[in-house]
Amino acid sequence: MAVGIALILLLLLIIFMLQNSTNVDVRFLGTDGQIPLGLAMFIAAVGGGAVVAVVAVGRITQLRLRLRRSRRDKVDRD
């Protein structure tokens, strides 16, 4: 079931990128160039997802450390 849904989403992404193939000017950190609009939006979405993933990993690590400390303190008190 998950593979079917992933294939449908991939197909929709391909259609989106094909329909938005007009070149746009892109400037980033002193570089500039032209790439298709669909690709530029896809790169931006992947970049945003990467930022969210990094923040999530940091928060999960923080919570795990807090849980270990809490368990260790409980064992020390008992």
Side-chain angles (χ1 to χ4, degrees):
M1 182 73 171
V3 173
I5 292 172
L7 287 174
I8 291 171
L9 290 174
L10 183 59
L11 180 64
L12 291 173
L13 179 62
I14 291 170
I15 291 169
F16 173 80
M17 292 180 77
L18 289 173
Q19 289 181 342
N20 291 286
S21 61
T22 304
N23 281 346
V24 293
D25 292 326
V26 177
R27 288 178 210 86
F28 183 70
L29 297 176
T31 61
D32 59 350
Q34 288 191 342
I35 60 174
L37 175 62
L39 181 60
M41 293 179 71
F42 178 71
I43 292 169
V46 169
V51 169
V52 169
V54 167
V55 171
V57 166
R59 181 65 176 148
I60 289 169
T61 302
Q62 182 185 34
L63 292 173
R64 285 183 179 174
L65 288 172
R66 185 180 296 172
L67 181 62
R68 278 190 204 143
R69 287 183 192 133
S70 175
R71 285 180 181 170
R72 186 180 56 213
D73 291 345
K74 184 179 178 185
V75 169
D76 290 343
R77 282 183 278 165
D78 291 340

